Amino acid sequence: MWCPVKAVPILGALAICASLVCHATGDETATGASAPTVIRFVSWKPDYPRAWDEAIRIFTERHPHLRIEREIAPHSSTAYHDLLTQKLKNRDPSVDVFFMDVIWVPEFAAAGWARPLNDRFTEASQEAFLPSTLEVGRYHGHLYGVPSRIDAGLLYYRVDLLRKYGFEPPGTWNELVHQATTILDGERAATPTLRGYSAQFKQYEGLVCNMLEFIGSHGGILIDEDRGAARLSDERTLAAIEFVRARLLGPLASRALLTYQEPESLAAFARGNAVFHRNWPYAWEIANNPDRSSIAGRVGAAPLPGSDGIPGVATLGGWLLGISSLSRHADEAWEFISFLTGHDMQRFFAREAGIAPSRTVLYADPELLTANPQWRSQAAVLHSATPRPRSPVYPALSHIMQRFFSRALAYPGLDLEPEARRAEREMNRLLDLTRSEAP
């Protein structure tokens, strides 16, 4: 005799299976409506998660036919690169949209991982963006990324402490050392934890950014791109490295900086434990936010110092949004990128997170300039920052430089020249691989 009680689990299981089939195919929901298309977005861990949550909410509200699934990688660009490229090397078709650091474009384009966007990102659309942010997204005549934000290294400083000792922001690194030493001597009794300088010296991409700024402001370069040869053993490059390890690390800065990325170094500054701090534009909002900083309202920003008649150098940073060449939803992915890089959302992120926008017109926005007054005086720095070497093998070159700089700073007695020449040989072997590549 058939028993209806025992049939309930079977019918329930069938209903669940039917629901799963509908969800998996994306054809229809249980009510007969089309299920949203899922766009998978691979991103780094954001500094302002609430701003990103709100941005995604607004997008899905305006685009109910789409749903965004985010995979959040570590904050470090190096760790994020490793995670993302592993997916792309494995030809993972579930990846639709991703952030690209400005240094990755040649690699992603040459490997065929990023889809060219010229057919979607028209010349008329490009005119709204800062030229430098467009150039880093270009490789062999094709554009592979839409500029989301621009970054450049800036010097943050304690306005109250410099004013107390009669100083203006330093124009040279030697002036910075003098000012920091004077302030530390005067404040030691009252603030024994105070240090002169805070930056990012951990072995990761941020270390290369920091060292490029010291090296460039001493007249050196990392790579002679015309000759396709590394220049780490150049006497000006070695002088810059020696300056950092002899004049900053130890005398002015805690050696804990060898473990610091952006969040740790900014936290030390925001706690009132550093006179000077090197970081990207987003740090302004955090350092001046009373909910996140003990020195809010006492922070200024200036260009990074130079040396002996050589102007300061700011590393060009920033992020582009690209579409995977294997994405099955390229049109929908473009809708998402267009939304994130549009005028309204760039203004939203600039206002809510202090992110320097890549759209030119926003640097004349009165509300944004009131919230970010440093943009008035630092716009030239943001728009003319120095790019890192552009090469399909840049990530491998960077790993060599990271190891060299890390060893040079960690071991004060290390003989720099033979170490530099050893790193140069490794880099030149990689550069030889791309020397015959067509322009």
Side-chain angles (χ1 to χ4, degrees):
M1 183 176 179
W2 177 69
C3 176
V5 174
K6 292 184 179 179
V8 171
I10 298 174
L11 293 172
L14 289 173
I16 292 170
C17 289
S19 173
L20 289 173
V21 169
C22 286
H23 180 74
T25 59
D27 292 334
E28 292 185 348
T29 64
T31 61
S34 296
T37 298
V38 174
I39 303 300
R40 192 162 183 79
F41 175 34
V42 184
S43 170
W44 31 245
K45 183 180 179 180
D47 295 293
Y48 290 85
R50 281 182 293 182
W52 273 100
D53 291 344
E54 178 65 7
I56 300 298
R57 186 196 66 77
I58 295 171
F59 177 79
T60 52
E61 186 177 85
R62 295 181 185 176
H63 302 79
H65 63 294
L66 299 177
R67 180 163 62 86
I68 304 301
E69 283 190 0
R70 282 188 291 168
E71 180 172 356
I72 299 178
H75 185 278
S76 162
S77 62
T78 302
Y80 171 49
H81 172 271
D82 292 345
L83 179 146
L84 177 58
T85 55
Q86 189 61 44
K87 290 178 176 295
L88 297 174
K89 287 174 185 175
N90 290 338
R91 303 185 63 79
D92 183 347
S94 71
V95 177
D96 296 302
V97 178
F98 47 71
F99 270 117
M100 283 190 292
D101 196 328
V102 295
I103 56 177
W104 300 345
V105 173
E107 176 196 14
F108 280 44
W113 296 333
R115 184 184 296 261
L117 301 177
N118 299 60
D119 58 335
R120 292 181 168 88
F121 193 23
T122 64
E123 291 188 10
S125 299
Q126 295 170 30
E127 291 176 359
F129 293 84
L130 298 168
S132 60
T133 66
L134 293 172
E135 193 55 37
V136 293
R138 201 184 309 275
Y139 187 69
H140 288 182
H142 296 285
L143 278 165
Y144 290 90
V146 181
S148 169
R149 62 190 283 182
I150 186 172
D151 281 323
L154 293 172
L155 181 70
Y156 295 89
Y157 60 92
R158 288 282 299 277
V159 173
D160 55 332
L161 292 178
L162 264 65
R163 187 175 296 153
K164 178 178 178 179
Y165 290 86
F167 294 134
E168 295 293 329
T172 68
W173 288 109
N174 283 331
E175 287 179 12
L176 182 146
V177 170
H178 168 69
Q179 292 180 9
T181 301
T182 302
I183 293 170
L184 291 180
D185 287 344
E187 300 294 314
R188 185 168 290 113
T191 314
T193 59
L194 186 65
R195 297 291 182 267
Y197 191 70
S198 176
Q200 303 84 44
F201 289 151
K202 184 176 181 177
Q203 185 175 317
Y204 79 118
E205 183 61 32
L207 175 59
V208 177
C209 295
N210 277 252
M211 295 309 298
L212 183 154
E213 291 163 350
F214 284 108
I215 290 166
S217 64
H218 281 76
I221 57 175
L222 301 177
I223 295 174
D224 183 338
E225 295 193 54
D226 291 333
R227 294 172 50 209
R231 292 280 296 276
L232 297 184
S233 66
D234 182 277
E235 63 179 359
R236 291 165 294 188
T237 300
L238 296 180
I241 298 169
E242 182 59 31
F243 172 85
V244 174
R245 71 178 189 174
R247 304 288 303 281
L248 290 183
L249 276 173
L252 292 184
S254 166
R255 294 190 67 78
L257 260 63
L258 295 171
T259 68
Y260 283 3
Q261 299 183 53
E262 284 86 354
E264 297 87 359
S265 61
L266 177 54
F269 181 64
R271 286 195 300 267
N273 289 338
V275 179
F276 296 104
H277 173 58
R278 181 267 177 210
N279 214 318
W280 309 104
Y282 84 96
W284 173 270
E285 196 283 333
I286 294 175
N288 282 291
N289 184 335
D291 294 330
R292 307 182 70 174
S293 170
S294 65
I295 55 172
R298 293 177 283 158
V299 175
L304 289 162
S307 62
D308 299 327
I310 301 171
V313 167
T315 299
L316 175 65
W319 292 87
L320 311 166
L321 285 161
I323 300 176
S324 168
S325 59
L326 295 174
S327 171
R328 301 188 182 106
H329 306 293
D331 291 337
E332 293 84 354
W334 178 251
E335 283 190 70
F336 184 50
I337 289 177
S338 297
F339 168 81
L340 288 179
T341 59
H343 176 278
D344 290 349
M345 290 313 296
Q346 285 218 0
R347 190 175 188 276
F348 168 82
F349 281 112
R351 186 182 69 243
E352 299 297 324
I355 291 172
S358 55
R359 285 181 170 266
T360 307
V361 70
L362 292 174
Y363 288 90
D365 186 299
E367 182 185 352
L368 295 184
L369 291 176
T370 298
N372 299 276
Q374 80 281 12
W375 289 354
R376 296 179 189 273
S377 58
Q378 306 314 323
V381 175
L382 291 170
H383 302 172
S384 62
T386 300
R388 281 156 283 175
R390 287 176 59 77
S391 169
V393 295
Y394 177 80
L397 295 171
S398 176
H399 279 295
I400 296 169
M401 290 188 286
Q402 290 172 36
R403 291 195 301 271
F404 165 62
F405 291 140
S406 184
R407 279 179 53 79
L409 299 183
Y411 300 101
L414 189 70
D415 189 347
L416 289 179
E417 186 171 355
E419 290 286 331
R421 292 196 181 280
R422 187 176 299 113
E424 277 182 342
R425 288 193 294 272
E426 290 184 62
M427 293 172 69
N428 287 336
R429 282 195 289 270
L430 287 171
L431 291 166
D432 286 343
L433 298 175
T434 61
R435 202 181 301 277
S436 60
E437 186 175 318

